[in-house]
Amino acid sequence: MAVAERVAPAATAPPPAAVPERSPWPRRFVWVAGIAALLVVGLRFAPGFPDRFVLGVGSVFDGIDTWVIDNQRTHWLFTGLLNPLKDAIQATVDGLVTLLSRMTWVGLVTTAGALAGLVAGWRMGLLAAAGVASFGVLGVWERSLQTFALVAISVVISLAIGVPLGIWAGRRAGVDRALRPFLDAMQTIPAYSYLLPFVLFLGTGYPPALAATVVFALPPAVRLTALGVRSVPATTLEVATSFGSTSRQVLRKVQLPMATPSIMLGVNQTIMMALGMVVIAAVVAAEGLGREVLDALKLLRVGAAFNAGLAIVIMAIVLDRVTTAWSCRERERRGRATRIAGRTVSRRALVVAAVAASAIGVLVGREVIRQQEWPESLTFSVAAPVDAIVEWSQRNLGDAAEAIGAALTAGLLDPLRTLLTREPWWVIAALAALAGWKVKGPRLAVFSFVCVFLLGALGTWNLSMHTLSIVLVAVVLSLVVAIPVGILASRSDAVDRAIKPLLDAMQTMPAFVYLVPVLLLFSIGTPVPAVIASVVYALPVGIRLTNLGIRQVPATIVEAAEAYGATSTQRLRKVELPLARPSILLGVNQTIMMVLSVVIIGGMIGAGGLGFEALVALSKKRIGQGVVVGLSILLLAIVLDRITQAMGSAPRSLRGPVGLSGMGRWPKLRAIRGSVSSERTDGTNGKGEA
Amino acid sequence: MGDPTVSCRNLWKVYGPRPERVVGSAEADLPRAELLERTGCVVAVRDVSFDVAPGEVFVVMGLSGSGKSTLVRMINRIHEPTAGTVLIDGEDLRACDEEQLREIRRRKISMVFQHFGLLPHRRIVDNVAFGLEIQGVEKADRLAIAERVLEKVGLAGWGNAYPEELSGGMQQRVGLARALANDPEILLFDEPFSALDPLIRRDMQDEVLSLQRDLKKTMIFITHDLAEALKLGDRIAIMKDGRFVQVGTPEEVVAHPADDYVADFTRDVPRAHVLTARAIMRPVNGEAPLDGPTVRTDTLVQALIPIVADADRTIRVVDDDRVVGVVDRTDVMRALVEEA
Ligand SMILES: Nc1ncnc2c1ncn2[C@@H]1O[C@H](COP(=O)(O)OP(=O)(O)O)[C@@H](O)[C@H]1O
Ligand SMILES: [Mg+2]
């Protein structure tokens, strides 16, 4: 590609100027002292952001909601476009829910089992059947159908848009470049912050929920499709061209088949992202499991919330495992006949059998059992036992938890928040600029400064600092646990094997679910539950990326270090950690973004800050406030993301073989879920040309 | 010999921004690094001209980076030449539109690739039938042809396997079969055997030679291995920095290297395996003996050795029963000694 990269011959290039060797300590000391001095000086000035710089951004938008209400029945935008769209979405989701109910519970359990069995093997069939049955057992049958219908339709729409877009981007570098900032933004902004416009224009219920879910779930479909198409080796394309393929033939016969594993991963990701939106969908009054969780939490009925949350987790696990097994099997089988009990069975026979089983199930349900809903007598809600556990633990562990919470609040959260809110805005902005300068250069410094200034100008300074303080505390706590565990896992295969299933399970669960068990112990109304939940939520990615980074250090380099007599600690400190740096820093970046998303959601349960403000704006439909808060969240997310991302790519020479830089946040996480998936997405991983 | 099948005139390939301005300019002769510095361009192929006759095996040999792959890719125009002409059976390739170009690639020219370039998601037969599929041949027909060609390259029965299940040598047989399945007039090989073990490489070279005896295709064969070039080539072009430094028969290249660069290459070649009586014979000068053994002009020195050892006199070299020269022990020994 780039001429310079391919040809610059190492032998003729002049050697780089020697860098004088110096101990890092004095410089680091200067930095620390300088920052401390800045903070101390800052305290002598007026805290926060001066009112006279605050722009009335909110009021600009405040007129919109009255305009919407006035014109809803008359303006062409609504009568011609939005209202029909809204009705169509509502009708489609309702229709699917009705269809699913009419299939009856017997029919659904058999159909789920038969379909999953067909595409992913009989074990997955059993898992799917058991999963569907569990919705009934938990007593959330109707709610589960609603959630499933919303998720299914969102996923279909996301894929219908995302896959073609991804193919286009994969074939044309220009399209890819043009799409990238949008995809980045869609993946950086917590979904919560863009709900309001959807509510305003599409009302409440399924339509805005579906629209927001599609926005949230689209990026992985586009990215992984594009990645798959792009990673078809140039030589393979050359082969196709040399035999006289047309562009369409290249796409159909080479690029698409070879991108299929990556596209399948994209499907999996899109489903998981859509499930992650279930509770947020409930915020805009969409029916479903999320609604159950949210309502229960509002009434502090932890047991009921847990019960519905469990159903979400089960749905997530079933869909994740089935789609993953499906793509793995497709790869292995590649159109060969399946063998059952030693005899080959043709694909068609299997399809016929699966369809027949489903049909029989539906018939039995409709004509023999004659009952659509899961029978009452077969339910067992875990709400009561969970409530008992809550009560027990509050009685016995409540004091300890209270103490931990108090310590966390008094020791970290409060002091940091006080510091951040007491400093004048320019100190914070200067610190962000310094960080930007140090990791990347003047452009990022200016960018960071401006973003922080805008936070103030939006008029959300104190809320933002509040949220920032919680995020920083949670990030530090998460990393303090994750990095050592990751190192441990990289050193010992036994540890690695032991924690892998746990991490898999943790990464399958939607963020909100983490809040529920935390609420068992920590009282609502303080940021503590949000901190704990976000720490736990972000742990897997930190652990995984540390582990992966160290394990990816080439064996030859480790061998060389050992040949020179390095001790195990020396090997870690002087070879493995430096080489794993990019991966670990990617982990830091991911941790921050994940923590931020939970802290924002945590606004609902007392974390306060921007998240709470967003909820208020949403429930009172204050569009101006909503826009301002949404923009603030966006700014905060972008600054944190850019700085930590640049950190990971700072020293080029240290950039490890983690070939993930072209991917967004979520695919990255997933690609790292077991090295399997990173192989699956990127066959050329680690063998990059340049 | 008739008209050449492939004819290239003044071919240039320059990579980089606005490559045309470099072609033929004084800058083109600058050292690589300097040219890159000044123009951002790299000259991969410079001013190359050659003809390949029907049924000829034309080998291009050069070190890595000398421009061989680029050159061969301009012959089916997967790389667009920066300047120059390529004639295929007299038809100007660069004047072709997309449609004509595809037609030529589908019917006339097939290529065998260095790293095999098999499609991992397809069975072996489907890989072999790929070119036919692209042409729109019916499934049953193309699979039948593919099976036949697989048999020809010694892979009968492997059709249902997937590429990853085959060894490197077998994979390249599939690559060869895929190219042959189209029954093209011209075969292009880009270092097809470089990635193979020496023993397997030898088998594959023999395979190509035997196919060539049967099918009489026109072949352009790229290699960085001189022994391979000498073994396969009717003529060899030695390439350096994008230029042809010498074009000739194996014997000419070994016997009369054009410059030190070529001489350096050929130094280690066992000359007895390459040189023939023609290269080492002396003119007759009236002293030709009227009887005794005769040898043909194309007898390898290797085969001459026992003959001169047995007959302790001068031997006649004949071409179509006409005596064209003589050799004796001294000539043979001199030819062998020059090796050192
Ligand atoms: N796409 C490209 N862009 C820039 N330079 C290239 C490109 N392809 C090849 N080159 C340069 O052209 C020269 C010839 O390359 P190539 O034809 O691949 O040589 P060979 O096949 O003999 O090893 C090399 O110096 C290579 O760096
Ligand atoms: Mg090459």
Side-chain angles (χ1 to χ4, degrees):
Chain A
M1 278 169 248
V3 182
E5 277 183 353
R6 283 214 40 181
V7 294
T12 55
V19 180
E21 193 74 21
R22 252 200 286 153
S23 156
W25 283 111
R27 277 188 73 176
R28 213 170 277 180
F29 179 75
V30 171
W31 275 99
V32 171
I35 290 170
L38 184 63
L39 287 172
V40 171
V41 171
L43 290 178
R44 302 186 164 274
F45 290 83
F49 197 83
D51 284 341
R52 67 201 142 91
F53 289 163
V54 174
L55 311 165
V57 177
S59 52
V60 175
F61 292 91
D62 272 336
I64 292 184
D65 46 352
T66 35
W67 181 84
V68 168
I69 293 164
D70 290 346
N71 292 282
Q72 220 155 23
R73 299 185 181 285
T74 49
H75 197 271
W76 61 266
L77 182 64
F78 293 96
T79 55
L81 183 67
L82 291 175
N83 294 349
L85 182 67
K86 185 163 75 177
D87 295 342
I89 295 175
Q90 186 74 37
T92 314
V93 180
D94 282 340
L96 185 55
V97 173
T98 314
L99 177 72
L100 292 172
S101 331
R102 294 236 175 102
M103 286 171 72
T104 75
W105 64 272
V106 181
L108 276 184
V109 172
T110 20
T111 305
L115 287 186
L118 176 67
V119 299
W122 64 271
R123 283 198 193 81
M124 288 300 134
L126 284 186
L127 179 74
V132 173
S134 74
F135 303 143
V137 172
L138 290 171
V140 287
W141 184 253
E142 175 82 33
R143 294 283 192 208
S144 303
L145 295 191
Q146 291 161 343
T147 289
F148 179 79
L150 181 62
V151 167
I153 293 169
S154 309
V155 167
V156 167
I157 294 177
S158 302
L159 294 177
I161 302 172
V163 171
L165 216 52
I167 291 174
W168 199 26
R171 282 161 67 93
R172 300 225 186 286
V175 175
D176 194 51
R177 265 196 306 278
L179 281 180
R180 191 162 286 176
F182 292 99
L183 296 176
D184 277 347
M186 282 158 84
Q187 290 191 301
T188 320
I189 314 170
Y192 209 72
S193 59
Y194 52 72
L195 281 178
L196 190 53
F198 287 121
V199 172
L200 198 63
F201 288 99
L202 293 174
T204 53
Y206 291 133
L210 184 129
T213 306
V214 168
V215 170
F216 192 63
L218 193 59
V222 179
R223 285 215 141 113
L224 284 165
T225 304
L227 181 73
V229 171
R230 214 173 23 233
S231 359
V232 174
T235 50
T236 311
L237 298 180
E238 217 166 46
V239 169
T241 315
S242 81
F243 279 93
S245 306
T246 59
S247 166
R248 274 191 50 176
Q249 283 175 322
V250 173
L251 177 65
R252 278 215 349 262
K253 295 182 191 294
V254 178
Q255 287 176 310
L256 279 187
M258 288 181 74
T260 305
S262 185
I263 296 176
M264 292 291 273
L265 186 63
V267 172
N268 170 285
Q269 288 307 293
T270 303
I271 294 175
M272 302 316 288
M273 301 288 279
L275 269 167
M277 286 288 284
V278 163
V279 176
I280 294 187
V283 172
V284 296
E287 302 289 334
L289 290 167
R291 185 69 170 279
E292 193 92 358
V293 174
L294 205 61
D295 287 350
L297 277 185
K298 277 187 197 147
L299 300 174
L300 290 185
R301 287 169 41 212
V302 175
F306 188 90
N307 193 55
L310 189 60
I312 299 178
V313 173
I314 290 172
M315 197 180 290
I317 289 179
V318 169
L319 288 172
D320 182 40
R321 298 300 179 265
V322 169
T323 47
T324 306
W326 181 10
S327 58
C328 291
R329 248 168 78 99
E330 281 302 310
R331 224 161 91 97
E332 283 157 20
R333 192 174 47 202
R334 289 191 287 212
R336 285 176 202 188
T338 316
R339 296 178 71 82
I340 293 176
R343 288 200 312 174
T344 35
V345 182
S346 79
R347 183 95 184 130
R348 188 175 301 160
L350 282 177
V351 172
V352 170
V355 171
S358 314
I360 292 172
V362 173
L363 270 179
V364 168
R366 290 188 65 84
E367 306 302 332
V368 182
I369 302 182
R370 292 167 177 278
Q371 191 178 24
Q372 286 193 4
E373 285 244 355
W374 186 270
E376 196 74 36
S377 55
L378 290 182
T379 58
F380 176 79
S381 166
V382 296
V386 168
D387 279 333
I389 295 174
V390 171
E391 218 167 289
W392 181 89
S393 49
Q394 274 171 352
R395 219 172 319 112
N396 295 288
L397 306 174
D399 292 342
E402 209 62 33
I404 292 175
L408 199 57
T409 309
L412 290 172
L413 287 168
D414 280 352
L416 187 61
R417 190 180 60 215
T418 314
L419 180 68
L420 290 181
T421 41
R422 277 282 305 279
E423 292 292 342
W425 70 273
W426 49 266
V427 168
I428 308 293
L431 287 178
L434 266 181
W437 190 297
K438 199 158 178 326
V439 299
K440 187 86 172 277
R443 273 181 56 183
L444 187 59
V446 173
F447 180 81
S448 307
F449 191 92
V450 171
C451 284
V452 174
F453 171 80
L454 287 177
L455 272 182
L458 283 169
T460 56
W461 183 258
N462 282 337
L463 291 170
S464 301
M465 289 305 112
H466 180 114
T467 297
L468 181 62
S469 69
I470 303 175
V471 168
L472 292 179
V473 168
V475 166
V476 169
L477 290 180
S478 192
L479 292 176
V480 162
V481 181
I483 292 179
V485 175
I487 292 175
L488 204 65
S490 74
R491 298 258 130 162
S492 146
D493 285 337
V495 174
D496 189 36
R497 265 197 308 277
I499 60 175
K500 190 170 182 306
L502 189 64
L503 297 183
D504 276 346
M506 285 171 77
Q507 286 194 319
T508 311
M509 292 189 230
F512 199 86
V513 168
Y514 287 89
L515 287 175
V516 179
V518 172
L519 290 175
L520 301 182
L521 280 176
F522 298 94
S523 47
I524 293 188
T526 74
V528 174
V531 170
I532 307 274
S534 57
V535 166
V536 178
Y537 181 58
L539 270 183
V541 73
I543 296 175
R544 280 227 144 103
L545 283 167
T546 307
N547 184 5
L548 184 78
I550 297 178
R551 280 178 184 268
Q552 276 186 343
V553 174
T556 49
I557 298 184
V558 174
E559 226 167 44
E562 276 170 352
Y564 281 92
T567 64
S568 171
T569 332
Q570 282 174 325
R571 196 179 92 197
L572 184 69
R573 280 205 25 237
K574 296 188 189 297
V575 177
E576 289 171 330
L577 284 184
L579 283 172
R581 208 183 106 109
S583 178
I584 296 176
L585 288 176
L586 178 62
V588 173
N589 170 273
Q590 300 299 301
T591 300
I592 292 182
M593 303 320 289
M594 293 177 75
V595 162
L596 179 66
S597 70
V598 178
V599 169
I600 297 294
I601 300 176
M604 282 186 222
I605 53 155
L610 293 169
F612 181 69
E613 204 70 3
L615 187 67
V616 172
L618 200 57
S619 56
K620 306 213 164 133
K621 292 216 189 148
R622 288 191 199 139
I623 179 80
Q625 188 185 3
V627 168
V628 162
V629 173
L631 286 176
S632 306
I633 296 173
L634 173 61
L635 285 172
L636 206 55
I638 286 181
V639 173
L640 290 170
D641 186 43
R642 287 288 148 82
I643 291 178
T644 48
Q645 225 171 44
M647 241 157 69
S649 57
R652 269 178 176 272
S653 55
L654 284 183
R655 202 178 281 173
V658 194
L660 297 164
S661 47
M663 299 162 71
R665 163 159 74 113
W666 277 92
K668 266 188 245 168
L669 298 188
R670 288 309 178 120
I672 280 150
R673 273 185 46 175
S675 42
V676 191
S677 23
S678 57
E679 278 169 30
R680 249 192 284 152
T681 51
D682 187 358
T684 59
N685 211 348
K687 293 183 262 175
E689 287 214 331
Chain B
M1 265 244 163
D3 291 333
T5 306
V6 177
S7 172
C8 296
R9 286 288 166 276
N10 309 104
L11 268 187
W12 285 77
K13 179 69 188 184
V14 181
Y15 290 108
R18 292 201 294 123
E20 322 74 37
R21 75 202 140 125
V22 176
V23 173
S25 71
E27 281 172 326
D29 292 326
L30 290 173
R32 232 182 122 83
E34 202 170 320
L35 178 69
L36 183 64
E37 173 95 353
R38 267 202 220 169
T39 61
C41 288
V42 175
V43 181
V45 172
R46 67 181 83 210
D47 203 13
V48 166
S49 304
F50 62 95
D51 289 328
V52 185
E56 186 182 8
V57 180
F58 185 78
V59 174
V60 179
M61 209 228 49
L63 295 180
S64 160
S66 55
K68 311 180 296 293
S69 295
T70 308
L71 176 65
V72 76
R73 279 166 176 70
M74 290 194 287
I75 295 169
N76 58 1
R77 233 179 100 187
I78 359 184
H79 282 3
E80 192 65 49
T82 311
T85 49
V86 180
L87 303 182
I88 304 290
D89 287 331
E91 189 181 0
D92 184 354
L93 197 65
R94 295 190 65 195
C96 291
D97 62 20
E98 282 284 317
E99 184 61 44
Q100 291 167 319
L101 187 60
R102 268 204 300 277
E103 216 37 46
I104 288 178
R105 287 173 182 163
R106 287 177 180 186
R107 318 244 170 223
K108 271 202 180 156
I109 307 181
S110 287
M111 185 155 168
V112 180
F113 291 81
Q114 178 168 14
H115 295 290
F116 323 141
L118 302 184
L119 304 174
H121 60 284
R122 288 171 161 244
R123 293 178 307 161
I124 297 301
V125 266
D126 296 324
N127 263 289
V128 175
F130 181 74
L132 298 167
E133 185 178 334
I134 294 297
Q135 293 171 24
V137 176
E138 287 300 321
K139 184 158 185 183
D141 297 343
R142 66 177 190 245
L143 290 187
I145 296 174
E147 291 288 359
R148 259 207 318 280
V149 183
L150 271 176
E151 204 164 317
K152 201 181 303 179
V153 299
L155 284 179
W158 282 93
N160 282 323
Y162 281 85
E164 67 196 20
E165 296 162 5
L166 269 57
S167 70
M170 290 161 88
Q171 290 193 27
Q172 195 56 296
R173 280 172 196 271
V174 178
L176 192 57
R178 178 173 61 185
L180 291 173
N182 280 4
D183 195 22
E185 194 182 329
I186 303 164
L187 282 168
L188 306 178
F189 295 82
D190 186 11
E191 299 204 28
F193 310 142
S194 302
L196 303 179
D197 294 339
L199 288 182
I200 298 180
R201 193 182 313 168
R202 203 173 59 198
D203 283 352
M204 295 298 294
Q205 290 160 355
D206 294 339
E207 183 85 45
V208 168
L209 283 176
S210 92
L211 284 171
Q212 173 62 2
R213 262 194 303 278
D214 290 355
L215 305 173
K216 288 278 167 230
K217 303 281 183 199
T218 306
M219 298 189 182
I220 297 180
F221 193 106
I222 307 294
T223 180
H224 66 235
D225 174 4
L226 184 66
E228 187 167 85
L230 295 172
K231 179 170 176 180
L232 297 179
D234 293 327
R235 279 188 306 145
I236 298 174
I238 312 270
M239 203 169 179
K240 183 193 174 200
D241 291 340
R243 220 191 286 277
F244 277 3
V245 288
Q246 184 171 14
V247 183
T249 62
E251 200 180 349
E252 283 164 7
V253 171
V254 173
H256 312 290
D259 61 9
D260 291 350
Y261 180 77
V262 182
D264 227 21
F265 264 117
T266 55
R267 189 163 44 209
D268 295 335
V269 174
R271 301 164 72 92
H273 296 193
V274 179
L275 297 185
T276 60
R278 183 199 297 280
I280 63 166
M281 69 187 182
R282 286 175 285 121
V284 183
N285 281 351
E287 41 146 346
L290 298 173
D291 56 352
T294 59
V295 294
R296 287 157 40 112
T297 44
D298 60 357
T299 312
L300 286 176
V301 171
Q302 194 179 13
L304 270 180
I305 295 172
I307 302 173
V308 292
D310 286 349
D312 52 0
R313 55 179 168 156
T314 313
I315 294 169
R316 286 166 299 164
V317 181
V318 296
D319 186 11
D320 282 343
D321 293 337
R322 207 165 49 79
V323 178
V324 291
V326 290
V327 288
D328 61 17
R329 264 184 219 179
T330 333
D331 300 314
V332 171
M333 273 155 62
R334 191 176 296 131
L336 293 177
V337 168
E338 269 172 21
E339 217 166 282

